[in-house]
Amino acid sequence: MIKTKAIANRTAELQLFSDIVCGNHSAKILLIQADSGMGKSDLLKKFQDSCPSEALVVPLDLKGADLGIPYFFNWVCEDLGYDRFQQFTAELRQMVSGAINFANNQMEGQQTIQIALNVDENTRRYRLGALQRAFFQDLAAIQQRVVILLDTFQLAVSDLQNWIESELLRMVPRLPNLVVVVAGQTVPDCNNIGWGSACESCYLEAIEQVEAWYQLAQVEHLPFDRDVIKAIVRLNKGNPLEIRKALKSLERGWSNDQ
């Protein structure tokens, strides 16, 4: 069967990501825009696999971010370890000290962050500002490179989308150890005056290079020659999702005939 992390082509995007993560490129933000079926999520998985072993990688699918900003804070803190976020934790505990009993050293989490921000708008704005300042200070103190991969940006709730575009990405150029990738059918506007100069943007198109798909078939030990691959690529107009489906279907049929 075809492994999801195996991709055809995308060498330019992979090289750009590698240069950014390794500090060989001035950009620290990478936007990946793609229509459905163009292999965006597979590319992000490849990004994750290709990160240096010493880097800390946080993959986050925003289609599950139904609770907005608390979801983001909690996911990053859990992935990297709440012990790395002492200032954030201290701010959070102070905000909810009257609502939650921390006598048993209860772990902070998404629900706790949500409680802290479930207040009137003025208080929420103040608390969010305090939490994000502490969060970014804790991030800056981490010695390793931190790579945050955000997928399906278009499915995040508007509150989280706006925060990513206005606050998270604004801070990326200010934190030497942080790299952020945002991918989706829609992505933030790279012309943003606050962080656009630290951004690279890619649009994923169909992959119509037959040789790229033939090489993938070879890697996956699929018994198809170039003519078969060429026919599949042309029939599906280079759409990676449809080509994968066709290869899997053809592989099953071939296996059943053996």
Side-chain angles (χ1 to χ4, degrees), residues 68-246:
I69 299 170
Y71 178 95
F72 175 88
F73 280 147
N74 181 61
W75 189 283
V76 175
C77 290
E78 281 198 344
D79 256 29
L80 298 181
Y82 263 95
D83 58 310
R84 298 181 188 269
F85 292 87
Q86 295 297 317
Q87 296 185 70
F88 178 83
T89 298
E91 286 285 354
L92 183 59
R93 287 188 175 217
Q94 185 176 7
M95 291 174 186
V96 299
S97 58
I100 295 179
N101 180 13
F102 288 106
N104 297 321
N105 196 31
Q106 179 179 342
M107 177 64 73
E108 284 72 18
Q110 181 172 316
Q111 186 175 11
T112 306
I113 302 169
Q114 188 180 9
I115 291 172
L117 296 177
N118 187 25
V119 288
D120 65 87
E121 185 57 34
N122 287 335
T123 305
R124 181 183 187 276
R125 190 179 300 113
Y126 172 80
R127 287 186 172 185
L128 179 57
L131 285 175
Q132 67 191 31
R133 281 193 297 273
F135 176 82
F136 289 128
Q137 287 168 3
D138 287 330
L139 265 185
I142 297 175
Q143 297 300 309
Q144 296 122 294
R145 175 75 83 182
V146 177
V147 182
I148 299 178
L149 305 174
L150 303 177
D151 198 7
T152 56
F153 177 78
Q154 79 279 0
L155 295 181
V157 295
S158 59
D159 186 45
L160 180 55
Q161 285 187 2
N162 293 336
W163 183 84
I164 289 171
E165 187 163 1
S166 64
E167 300 297 338
L168 174 63
L169 297 185
R170 181 178 63 87
M171 288 301 300
V172 175
R174 296 166 170 79
L175 301 182
N177 63 332
L178 182 61
V179 169
V180 173
V181 178
V182 183
Q185 294 181 28
T186 61
V187 294
D189 184 359
C190 64
N191 293 314
N192 188 291
I193 194 172
W195 48 263
S197 61
C199 174
E200 283 283 353
S201 182
C202 300
Y203 183 81
L204 301 186
E205 298 180 340
I207 303 175
E208 298 181 340
Q209 299 93 336
V210 174
E211 189 62 26
W213 286 107
Y214 178 72
Q215 292 300 324
L216 180 141
Q218 292 295 294
V219 169
E220 297 297 336
H221 306 293
L222 300 177
F224 310 132
D225 60 28
R226 282 183 175 83
D227 288 338
V228 172
I229 298 297
K230 182 178 181 179
I232 292 174
V233 172
R234 288 189 172 180
L235 180 64
N236 292 283
K237 300 179 180 179
N239 182 293
L241 178 61
E242 297 305 320
I243 291 172
R244 286 180 178 280
K245 288 180 180 178

